[in-house]
Amino acid sequence: MKFGVVVFPGSNCDHDAWYAVAHNLGHPAEFIWHQAASLGDVDAVILPGGFSYGDYLRCGAIAKFSPVMAAVRRFAAEGGLVLGICNGFQILVECGLLPGALVRNRGLKFICRQVRVRLETTDSPFTNAGVRGEILRIPVAHGEGCYVADERTLDELEAEDRVAFRYVEDVNGSLRSIAGILNRGRNILGMMPHPERAADPLMGSTDGLVVFRSMVAALAEKR
Amino acid sequence: MSTITPDLVEAHQLTPDEYRRIVEILGREPTYTELGIFSVMWSEHCSYKSSRLHLRKLPTQGPHVLQGPGENAGVIDIGDGWAIAFKIESHNHPSFIEPFQGAATGVGGILRDIFTMGARPIAVLDALRFGPLDDPEAGARNRRILEGVVSGIAHYGNCFGVPTVGGETVFDPCYNGNPLVNVLALGVFRHDEIFYARACGVGNPVIYVGAKTGRDGIHGASMASAEFTEESKQKRPNVQVGDPFLEKLLLEACLEAMKTGAIVGIQDMGAAGLTCSTCEMGSRAGTGIEIDLQYVPQRETGMTPYEIMLSESQERMLLVAEKGREEEVVRVFRKWGLDAVTIGYVTGDGLLRVKDHGVVVAEIPTRALAEDAPLYDRPYTKPYRRAPMDWPEQAGANVEDDLVALVTSADLCSKRWIWEQYDYMVRTNTVRGPGADAAVLRIKETASSIAVALDGNERYCYLDPREGARLVVAECCRNLSAVGALPVAATNNLNFGNPERPEIMGQLVETIEGLAEACRFFETPITGGNVSLYNETLGEPVRPSPVIGIVGLMKTGPVTPAEFSRPGLAVILVGGLGSSDWRRFGGTQYAKVILKALWGLPPALDMDYEKRVQAAVREIVQAGLAASSHDLSGGGLGVALAECSFSEAGVGAVIELESDLPDHVLLFHEAPSRVLISTEAEKAVREIATRFGVEAPVIGRTQEGWLDISNRGRRLVHLDVRNLREQWESALPRMLASPRH
């Protein structure tokens, strides 16, 4: 199973995602430059955390226009697995691949913290290896992680079982405590918590591995 | 070109003597641009002219040292062919003028020092000093400065992608007009990847990379000159503006360009910008550099040579490439969307020759600017000190209330509000992050981890700079030993007042000598650092504030926590209860917080005993015998016991002491050389201590929920640890929420 990690100028969790996949999980991973027109032969793609293009204008707003995102759109349209973490989630929302928006944390400050999130559905290629309702310890590190959407969208997300993770305690003011959501096709996940930071016993938690393991399982099944 | 008048010389903060030397070196009057160049290169900041003589007393060599002072950062060996570059720098004055950008560019500057050597930055720590948040006059301003500095550090470090993993924050009225912002950065690389800031190879091209040059940050003193105001359209603030995104691109591009093998030497443009980088690179290599300013990328029009040479625009680098291979280098920078322009070449004549469209505007021997800068043996006397030697013996109402007051005081309360704004995990190496004795980072490429701690104590150093400096080094090493790391090398930031005052110079000299003695004794040579002088406002100097950062080595693995993890363990005080007479109690946190006084002398330090305590603790921790390990420092035994009780598990201890000391002295004296350990291997721990000739009394046992302390059967403290922790955690947010004026 081969993972691709997109590198935008300003990505800074690209190495961490690569390390979690290649070392903690033991699957091949390669970097994909933001100007690449194609994703090559990867089976899944990760949009990592960081500050793509300096997050100028708005988080993820400029990344949306990068050549690689056209390739990511095509990949996703064909059913490819796309995982957006933190800034990656912000980019997916800016691109319209996921609904809603991520705005300034309610406390107006950057928050780096180990938090507890609840896995809300196992019906996705990112969560199938988990247990519905289980509490995971995964860190957050963001200034703009407050998830907002109109009531209809929020109702829809819930009705269609597309809320993948919720915060157990309020962290950033996210509506309905949403920490991660799926697209309608369930092959795109955006989440603010960093599973790649909870993939090594030395980092204090390995709860994030469930996301990567689920992806591997889903891809294996597809083959 | 205007003639150089005495007023102009004075406006450049050059003395008449220094000016005469300039004329002597050049054999003529300097041009206006040359005067500007000399003024920045011979400034205290760049030349260390007041401190250099004494800095030579510091030990700089040791078995782990690959590069001592003199380069952009010190470098130490960590085994397996890998190395760590690290250094500390101050950005005090800019952080007072404009806290957010001042602190942000302080982070940016030290990060460039690290990656200019070829190392990838892996961690940042900050030592911050502010005036009290509740100061009747300056409180509102102090709160604003703190908030600005913290968000500036967060902004830069988080975006750049380097974790901010630790540090310390201290409040004292002496910082009301002079906050201190000292930033330590570390980077990792292979031995064979080290790059030096040397312009070698006559004929090699000199390439400018990174941000365009603007009028920001041009030396304040120079702004007063008539010519400057005539030629420039408007005055710009002296504080530079940082762009962490650009710096991140610069980092990636530099490391990638270095891999081409086409780079000969590289230096960042920090203080004094293009001036400093050109002449230092030439001076170190014994070469000259010729540049033409018409090629320098500029973001404003109509800039004079003076302005271009003195600009401190951020995120710029100067590099020397192998002749004929420029294109390989330029291609990498272009990939990252950065300017990379050849602006000149290395010459063999030892001169810095600056041209503007072919016309020579400055021509100075590089050596004269860098190596031959003035060196002053400033007169010094007994250190400045306005504190009584004695103080009437007194105590707070009861020690339990005193303990709560200490734990919720500004210096000792939880700093979570600060460090949660920093991304302390990015790069996934942070095994132990902020809020601990020492930060621990694994080095993925090896089986080793590094531990880092930052320490200072301006109260001790004010009472006795020499002893204070020794205590600071001892404590910093103790922080590392508490996690089982062997301290191997140090960096220092010396923050003082005006060195032209003999009493202040006295503080500086005594401090350096104390540091030298302790660093030699604890085998932690100083591989680099920074001196920040003139930290005075209206004649009120900051207290002597040396800040020490020490790096230690350990095997990668889980780190022993500082807090008690489960009930029923023996609590052992390695080093013993220690003692203090009333005179040596005057520098403690108790004296500061409860008695609101400062007197006498700092705690007495027996360096030999300290070393043995630390060796014993390292062995205990490395052998896996300690369930928790935490060193004693500010607030003494009482505060350390409280801190040990702040785990999420809510485990406290029942402590039974046997001592004749008055209760508050017993619990809050700050005698060094003590580490609290909880263990189920009581016998093995005590055996190790005995072997090192170190006291290690069992003073109690851990228990669920409560911290109970008694002396000779008299109960002194009975506190619910969860409640106490809540007060400790909420203290700083409460102080910051106080009503604005």
Side-chain angles (χ1 to χ4, degrees), chain A residues 180-203:
Chain A
I181 53 167
L182 297 156
N183 67 332
R184 199 161 271 153
R186 308 188 87 76
N187 63 323
I188 303 176
L189 169 68
M191 63 189 294
M192 288 314 293
H194 286 266
E196 82 282 13
R197 296 186 183 188
D200 191 319
L202 274 179
M203 298 296 107

Side-chain angles (χ1 to χ4, degrees), chain B residues 265-319:
Chain B
I266 177 165
Q267 172 152 348
D268 75 300
M269 293 191 225
L274 197 49
T275 296
C276 189
S277 51
T278 46
C279 62
E280 283 192 358
M281 284 184 82
S283 174
R284 286 200 192 98
T287 56
I289 283 186
E290 177 174 321
I291 58 172
D292 193 319
L293 299 178
Q294 66 174 312
Y295 304 116
V296 172
Q298 295 161 44
R299 80 166 90 98
E300 300 184 55
T301 53
M303 287 183 70
T304 65
Y306 181 100
E307 289 170 329
I308 296 170
M309 288 305 288
L310 267 59
S311 162
E312 291 189 4
S313 291
Q314 298 287 291
E315 290 95 24
R316 303 179 299 161
M317 292 276 204
L318 193 71
L319 55 88

